[in-house]
Amino acid sequence: MSAALKVVRPGLFDTLQDLGRIGYMALGMPTAGAMDRIALTLANALCGNPANTAGLEIGVMGPDLLVEADSVRVALVGPLSASLIDGPNNSQGAPPKPIDSDRTHLLKRGQVLRVGMVEGSSTAYLAVAGGFGLHPFMGSLSTYARAGVGGYQGRKLAAGDSLPLAREQAPPGDEKKFGQPFDYGSGPVRVVWGPQDDYFSSKGRRTFVESDYRVSKEADRMGIRFEGPTIEHSKGADIISDGIGPGAIQVPGAGLPIVLLGDRQTVGGYSKIATVASVDLPRLGRLLPGQVVRFSPVTVEEAEKLRRDQEARLQRAIADFKTARPPGGIDLARLYEENLIDGVVY
Amino acid sequence: MTLYPIGVSVRYLSCGDTAFSVEFGNEISPEINGRVMALHAAIGQAKIAGVVETVPSMRSLMVCYDPIATSRARLEPEIEGLIARGLPTGMKTRQVTIPCCYDDKEFAPDLPEVAGRTKKKVEDVIRLHLASRFKVYVLGFMPGLAYIAGLEKSLYLPRRSQPRVRVPRSTVAIAMDMTTIYPFESPGGWHLIGRTPLWMFDQRREQPVFLAPGDSLTFQRIDRKTYDRISREVEAGSFDWARLVRS
């Protein structure tokens, strides 16, 4: 019997994502990948997975997933309203059990994980220990829905989908949780000028870094269109198309900035005033329509250092994971099962 | 093997802290694009630690890197060194032949208009498209979409003033000095003059994207019957793609 998570009810836009499809931009293939690589990395680390394992990226509202495996360990990371575990192994007639994010949970066959609403961010992540049993496309499981590739059949999840699990049952081990929440930082979004900052007037560049920009409704995995004061070009909005890096901020003729994210096209013909520093890309990946940001310039060297410091903090956060109590207090049955009862149990 | 002259001056443009573009000029020319492709190949061969991938476009090469493994300050001199040592010209390119059916009104709705606006007979438009010696400059915008320049000058037309909402997959189109082949059904503003039975993107293939930057390319006229036969083979996954390519 093959192990799977069955989608009983889909969320709004759930796709499998890893850290991106690297190495195929020359063929026009976008990298895709997790909008918030930090949350995915933490979810995988909680499960004991390598950082580049594909997890489920959850937008707005999470799915209901039925466990069709002996057991599965999942980690939920991100600002979710209470998720629930429902099903036969809950004590008879008991209401569904609320569970926390930022930790792992052991689920048994027949249980349903009702993932909550994503609140205060646009994305949350669910990782499973051992990962999903799907074939990568061009070396990656990241879903790129526009071309129908990667992930589960190249698309967002739908009711009835059966996501195969790589493991028949959860690996042995304790449940884990964050030592403390990861600090994404606050304040202005750091950007590096260029590649085409010389296509803008000095007034235009000043407008860009001295104004508030609001996330419009047009925000998705491809990019975020901002509303705010228009940015003045000096040499026009059009260039001979060149490569678009992650976080590139293109400014079409209308003068409003668009930050390009994972599902962005590989090349483009609009001038790009600046590029979001990689340290702050996960923050961009969490923004919701209506939220307001400022952009603040840093040098390439500063941006690189910020990123290295963030990576070190991420590794410390992983080293700092704690063993978690079973949800809802001490689960004696499980403790007996795992021969832990004779040890010290909190 | 001849080398591009040492002293080619390039501009390094920042694309944040994970990429930068090496810009060889601000015009579209085979020579400039040749340098882009030569550096793309040279960096690929040099296997520089921390370089993740390179993305060629008409006149610049974007170098993507991992700022945890390396830095801009370390990479720029390495790339400067590759350029200073001389980039090979006349890179080996593939010769690719694309079968194209021009004979169906559904495939080529814009042929009469292109003929009218360029003051030619429809047959002459087809003949000139077939006579054009094309080169694949860039892939981008969507997976497998190639910008293929080299159209006969007398066929140059601006894009349609009113783009179409829906252009079928594998449509062959022209605009400006270029031709293209739509890898997916998509909106499009180019002039539709034929259709190939080939799929430019097919995730079932080991190489899902058929064309590559640098390919030389010509079209070969096929009739509707041949189109239908090749279509069936492509759909079934039994088509022999290798016979379209000469190295």
Side-chain angles (χ1 to χ4, degrees):
Chain A
M1 191 162 176
S2 58
L5 287 180
K6 188 165 184 187
V7 180
V8 182
R9 183 189 55 80
L12 280 186
F13 201 90
D14 310 323
T15 57
L16 287 175
Q17 299 292 342
D18 55 22
L19 295 180
R21 185 166 285 107
I22 308 299
Y24 299 94
M25 280 181 79
L27 299 179
M29 179 58 70
T31 47
M35 296 276 277
D36 176 356
R37 77 184 142 69
I38 290 175
L40 177 65
T41 301
L42 289 168
N44 274 321
L46 283 170
C47 284
N49 295 337
N52 196 25
T53 308
L56 194 58
E57 181 174 281
I58 296 158
V60 187
M61 184 177 86
D64 289 356
L65 302 167
L66 169 68
V67 178
E68 294 183 328
D70 290 343
S71 61
V72 62
R73 175 168 292 118
V74 304
L76 284 168
V77 172
L80 288 157
S81 68
S83 300
L84 304 169
I85 296 177
D86 207 350
N89 285 14
N90 237 357
S91 34
Q92 292 301 318
K97 195 160 51 179
I99 59 168
D100 293 334
S101 299
D102 299 345
R103 55 158 291 167
T104 62
H105 299 277
L106 188 70
L107 304 179
K108 294 282 170 67
R109 186 182 297 281
Q111 290 187 317
V112 174
L113 171 63
R114 303 190 191 281
V115 180
M117 302 282 290
V118 187
E119 292 176 338
S121 169
S122 57
T123 48
Y125 292 84
L126 178 144
V128 298
F132 292 96
L134 290 161
H135 293 293
F137 171 73
M138 286 179 158
S140 165
L141 274 182
S142 284
T143 307
Y144 176 60
R146 280 185 179 79
V149 300
Y152 184 84
Q153 299 185 2
R155 56 168 172 77
K156 65 177 183 176
L157 299 187
D161 288 349
S162 184
L163 297 175
L165 296 169
R167 295 184 62 107
E168 295 278 329
Q169 56 186 31
D174 295 326
E175 304 317 315
K176 290 209 174 102
K177 64 175 182 182
F178 282 14
Q180 53 208 335
F182 189 83
D183 180 10
Y184 284 78
S186 53
V189 168
R190 275 73 58 96
V191 299
V192 176
W193 290 116
Q196 280 94 30
D197 48 317
D198 59 341
Y199 273 62
F200 298 84
S201 67
S202 54
K203 179 172 164 240
R205 288 196 295 269
R206 252 196 337 271
T207 305
F208 171 64
V209 294
E210 289 177 2
S211 310
D212 286 342
Y213 285 95
R214 183 182 301 273
V215 178
S216 76
K217 288 203 171 62
E218 288 172 79
D220 60 15
R221 289 191 38 82
M222 188 173 179
I224 299 173
R225 207 177 271 267
F226 284 89
E227 291 161 349
T230 56
I231 298 163
E232 185 182 79
H233 290 86
S234 58
K235 288 201 258 170
D238 293 333
I239 58 163
I240 300 172
S241 290
D242 68 358
I244 302 182
I249 305 172
Q250 70 178 22
V251 185
L256 288 178
I258 301 172
V259 177
L260 294 162
L261 301 172
D263 283 5
R264 72 193 182 280
Q265 66 276 30
T266 55
V267 295
Y270 291 121
S271 45
K272 300 173 278 293
I273 189 169
T275 309
V276 175
S278 65
V279 66
D280 283 338
L281 277 175
R283 285 173 63 197
L284 265 287
R286 294 160 63 91
L287 286 177
L288 287 167
Q291 288 182 328
V292 171
V293 298
R294 282 256 180 152
F295 298 105
S296 163
V298 294
T299 65
V300 171
E301 292 71 24
E302 285 164 344
E304 287 172 343
K305 179 164 188 317
L306 286 165
R307 176 64 191 281
R308 283 183 213 119
D309 292 348
Q310 184 187 54
E311 182 63 21
R313 283 200 300 118
L314 185 57
Q315 294 312 319
R316 279 201 300 278
I318 290 169
D320 200 28
F321 285 163
K322 304 275 187 280
T323 302
R325 283 190 191 87
I330 295 166
D331 180 346
L332 286 175
R334 216 195 114 221
L335 294 177
Y336 280 119
E337 227 172 73
E338 297 187 3
N339 293 325
L340 290 173
I341 199 69
D342 54 349
V344 176
V345 187
Y346 303 103
Chain B
M1 183 170 70
T2 51
L3 299 174
Y4 285 113
I6 293 173
V8 168
S9 73
V10 300
R11 292 207 305 157
Y12 293 86
L13 309 179
S14 298
C15 307
D17 60 321
T18 63
F20 56 91
S21 274
V22 186
E23 192 180 275
F24 286 87
N26 196 18
E27 58 186 294
I28 296 173
S29 80
E31 218 230 337
I32 287 177
N33 186 252
R35 287 175 187 172
V36 171
M37 294 311 299
L39 184 61
H40 177 56
I43 294 176
Q45 278 164 18
K47 296 200 188 332
I48 302 168
V51 170
V52 175
E53 62 184 305
T54 54
V55 187
S57 53
M58 296 283 184
R59 45 67 188 249
S60 77
L61 184 73
M62 186 167 75
V63 179
C64 301
Y65 67 96
D66 175 0
I68 294 156
T70 186
S71 68
R72 170 82 170 274
R74 214 182 306 170
L75 287 177
E76 223 179 90
E78 288 213 50
I79 285 163
E80 197 69 37
L82 286 177
I83 296 170
R85 257 170 270 150
L87 300 170
T89 62
M91 308 265 304
K92 268 199 151 181
T93 60
R94 305 191 309 169
Q95 305 280 327
V96 178
T97 308
I98 302 284
C100 181
C101 181
Y102 301 89
D103 294 331
D104 198 301
K105 276 209 183 69
E106 189 203 332
F107 290 176
D110 294 340
L111 263 182
E113 194 191 325
V114 170
R117 287 176 64 181
T118 57
K119 301 188 173 60
K120 290 182 175 54
K121 292 183 181 131
V122 162
E123 270 308 307
D124 291 330
V125 174
I126 296 171
R127 187 176 53 75
L128 289 168
H129 192 248
L130 289 165
S132 299
R133 295 286 168 263
F134 290 109
K135 189 174 165 232
V136 177
Y137 276 90
V138 183
L139 280 91
F141 188 62
M142 53 181 145
L145 183 87
Y147 291 84
I148 310 165
L151 186 67
E152 277 285 330
K153 271 207 167 59
S154 62
L155 292 181
Y156 286 12
L157 283 175
R159 273 175 282 212
R160 288 168 58 85
S161 52
Q162 197 69 352
R164 283 190 173 80
V165 177
R166 204 185 71 90
V167 175
R169 174 174 62 187
S170 297
T171 296
V172 175
I174 59 171
M176 301 154 302
D177 60 337
M178 287 186 274
T179 195
T180 195
I181 306 161
Y182 286 84
F184 301 93
E185 181 186 299
S186 72
W190 292 32
H191 308 274
L192 317 184
I193 63 161
R195 199 178 298 174
T196 173
L198 307 177
W199 296 355
M200 293 297 103
F201 181 88
D202 182 351
Q203 58 173 304
R204 300 171 304 174
R205 287 201 305 263
E206 197 182 327
Q207 313 261 329
V209 173
F210 179 53
L211 295 175
D215 285 351
S216 292
L217 186 149
T218 49
F219 288 87
Q220 180 189 31
R221 189 172 192 172
I222 54 171
D223 59 18
R224 181 62 199 251
K225 252 178 77 179
T226 312
Y227 172 93
D228 288 335
R229 178 177 55 74
I230 299 177
S231 269
R232 282 191 298 272
E233 291 177 18
V234 167
E235 188 150 1
S238 62
F239 182 71
D240 175 21
W241 291 78
R243 72 183 173 86
L244 303 174
V245 180
R246 278 182 302 127
S247 296

